[in-house]
Amino acid sequence: MIQSVLRGAGLVAVLLLGATPLRAETIKVTIDNFTFTPAQVTVKVGDTVTWTNHDDIPHTVVSAGKYRSKALDTDDSFSFTFAAAGDYKYFCSLHPHMTGVVKVE
Amino acid sequence: MSLGDQDENGVSRRRVLECMTWAGTGVLWTLSGGVPRSLGLVDAARAAEQQASGLTFLQISDSHVGFDKPANPNAIGTLEEAVNRIKAMPVKPSFMIHTGDISHLSKAAEFDDADRIISQTRLDVHYVPGEHDFLDEDVKLYKERYGKGSRGAGWYSFDANGVHFIGLVNVVDLKAGGLGNLGAEQLAWLEQDLKGRSKSTPIVVFAHIPLWTVYPEWGWGTEDGGRALDALKGFGSVTVLNGHIHQVMQKVEGNVTFHTARSTAFPQPAPGTAASPGPMKVEDAKLRSLLGIASIDFKVGAERLAIIDTPLAG
Ligand SMILES: [Cu+2]
């Protein structure tokens, strides 16, 4: 009983550590079949999102006034680190029907 | 292909819309009295007769030089095959139009290869850009090479044999969630370009993305294409030639004929028949039946141009 409480306390400590900005995460978004997956991600301030294109056609990741990738050829990636909270809508400037959003809390 | 449209001008649809399948290259367009008709590259006699009374030009599209993925590992090779077919034509066309996506990634070497191969046709080529031609960091390679005498992102017009040709750009400043885009500046220029022109002048408009809405779910259409068509209202013969969707599609609406050409690089699926509009891998034996060029034939006194789509093989 005492042991399991201690273990529980240790777990809490690890989780708290994980929540500090020092442990910023990288969240992956893939591009397959002209679709951002997942189309909506929620991240914390300081986190990085990495988009990787798996299509045989180049795509871009553009959030007006915020960030803009080069044309990503097959298997190319683009990363952006979010320093401020907000909703960052983005799209592919070559195939504008492809849209997504990053919610930064 | 919507060949079911009714012709409203009493012209035999069969005569007007012979959408013949060549043995694999492009579309040969003939403007006969303003009527677009497609001529088979193989039909030498008809071509000779055509040259005496009208104008024949070629359309080539979506070369995607640099593409090397499974759908066609050798897009340069199939462009060369298309060019060889053009060189072998019994009657030389007056010129060629290229409806964009010359390169796959806008690399200087890709544009160089495209020029080296396409120039072997020894034809004047009038280009408009596709979205794949504007991918370089400074977005300057296309304009440097093909943009001389053009306005804005590369639009222009010219005349040949009494036909007025208008090259438009609908691949820049695309808006999230939207389709192809011409923009206010280009539309204003278009209205000005058409102002005072006799309504009997046959008009040929060409641009990369279809100006009509083919399949918005895949972005196959132009947001403000309707405004361009408004500006063309009243003209007796309007032919709209596009690429981008890598397959032949044709529609007639009143005096306007819409037509898209095959790619010389890789096929794309019919609307809604695949998970995405990306390159479609087919059996090797079938590939060349889905690539090609077009020939367009104009005859003085006719109302529509004839368009002939010719695959590279089969
Ligand atoms: Cu295209």
Side-chain angles (χ1 to χ4, degrees):
Chain A
M1 182 66 186
I2 288 171
Q3 256 188 348
S4 86
V5 167
L6 284 177
R7 244 184 239 140
L11 188 62
V12 169
V14 168
L15 286 174
L16 284 173
L17 196 63
T20 64
L22 292 172
R23 291 288 308 262
E25 288 185 62
T26 296
I27 292 89
K28 289 180 169 33
V29 175
T30 59
I31 306 173
D32 286 285
N33 287 321
F34 290 58
T35 308
F36 295 109
T37 310
Q40 177 176 326
V41 291
T42 304
V43 307
K44 301 260 180 299
V45 170
D47 284 350
T48 299
V49 176
T50 298
W51 289 264
T52 304
N53 178 21
H54 294 147
D55 277 346
D56 283 350
I57 284 287
H59 295 293
T60 65
V61 183
V62 177
S63 186
K66 303 290 191 340
Y67 55 88
R68 164 178 288 270
S69 77
K70 290 193 247 186
L72 305 176
D73 197 7
T74 309
D75 295 331
D76 283 355
S77 291
F78 167 73
S79 294
F80 185 79
T81 301
F82 292 86
D87 286 358
Y88 296 74
K89 288 185 182 172
Y90 66 89
F91 76 120
C92 167
S93 63
L94 305 174
H95 312 103
H97 63 289
M98 297 170 57
T99 59
V101 63
V102 178
K103 289 176 171 284
V104 183
E105 302 182 326
Chain B
M1 188 133 183
S2 52
L3 287 173
D5 308 71
Q6 291 302 309
D7 177 66
E8 288 155 24
N9 304 305
V11 184
S12 150
R13 293 262 320 157
R14 194 142 301 162
R15 217 183 76 215
V16 164
L17 275 186
E18 279 169 277
C19 189
M20 290 152 65
T21 310
W22 302 350
T25 329
V27 187
L28 180 67
W29 285 86
T30 299
L31 271 160
S32 283
V35 176
R37 297 188 312 151
S38 287
L39 278 187
L41 284 187
V42 282
D43 191 347
R46 213 169 137 204
E49 175 206 328
Q50 173 56 33
Q51 214 177 35
S53 61
L55 161 75
T56 296
F57 63 99
L58 288 177
Q59 180 186 5
I60 191 167
S61 198
D62 295 86
S63 314
H64 286 267
V65 168
F67 183 83
D68 59 1
K69 300 300 189 296
N72 180 3
N74 188 13
I76 282 201
T78 46
L79 175 61
E80 280 170 339
E81 286 174 40
V83 162
N84 286 337
R85 285 196 150 256
I86 294 166
K87 282 157 71 180
M89 286 177 68
V91 178
K92 204 177 166 208
S94 297
F95 58 84
M96 187 149 75
I97 60 169
H98 192 304
T99 41
D101 286 355
I102 306 156
S103 72
H104 191 58
L105 293 169
S106 305
K107 292 180 177 164
E110 295 174 347
F111 286 123
D112 287 346
D113 284 339
D115 285 348
R116 177 175 53 76
I117 296 163
I118 292 171
S119 66
Q120 288 167 25
T121 62
R122 297 182 180 281
L123 294 173
D124 281 343
V125 187
H126 302 277
Y127 289 89
V128 285
E131 72 280 6
H132 287 257
D133 301 318
F134 282 148
L135 299 181
D136 52 314
E137 197 82 341
D138 303 326
V139 201
K140 62 172 194 192
L141 291 180
Y142 176 87
K143 276 214 99 173
E144 278 175 8
R145 285 159 191 253
Y146 308 100
K148 276 197 194 77
S150 71
R151 324 225 172 180
W155 58 81
Y156 58 94
S157 65
F158 66 95
D159 293 280
N161 284 47
V163 180
H164 188 59
F165 288 82
I166 303 170
L168 299 179
V169 181
N170 55 359
V171 298
V172 296
D173 292 331
L174 306 187
K175 308 286 182 293
L179 306 170
N181 176 54
L182 293 161
E185 190 190 347
Q186 185 170 203
L187 286 164
W189 169 86
L190 176 66
E191 281 159 15
Q192 207 52 43
D193 182 75
L194 291 167
K195 210 174 176 182
R197 212 168 280 283
S198 157
K199 296 292 191 226
S200 62
T201 309
I203 309 280
V204 173
V205 178
F206 58 107
H208 180 62
I209 299 176
L211 282 182
W212 44 300
T213 304
V214 175
Y215 194 62
E217 292 84 347
W218 283 356
W220 290 358
T222 300
E223 204 74 42
D224 49 6
R227 286 197 48 201
L229 297 173
D230 282 349
L232 291 157
K233 273 211 178 100
F235 283 90
S237 165
V238 178
T239 306
V240 179
L241 304 177
N242 304 117
H244 187 57
I245 66 171
H246 297 212
Q247 61 198 287
V248 172
M249 228 174 259
Q250 183 159 301
K251 176 174 99 142
V252 177
E253 238 178 56
N255 292 329
V256 184
T257 300
F258 299 89
H259 192 98
T260 60
R262 290 190 180 94
S263 162
T264 63
F266 56 84
Q268 286 176 198
T273 62
S276 81
M280 180 170 66
K281 172 75 183 140
V282 297
E283 286 169 54
D284 290 353
K286 212 186 156 199
L287 176 62
R288 282 165 178 76
S289 70
L290 298 172
L291 307 179
I293 61 164
S295 156
I296 301 94
D297 189 16
F298 165 74
K299 194 166 276 170
V300 176
E303 279 151 37
R304 291 216 171 85
L305 291 87
I307 306 163
I308 295 178
D309 297 290
T310 304
L312 287 179

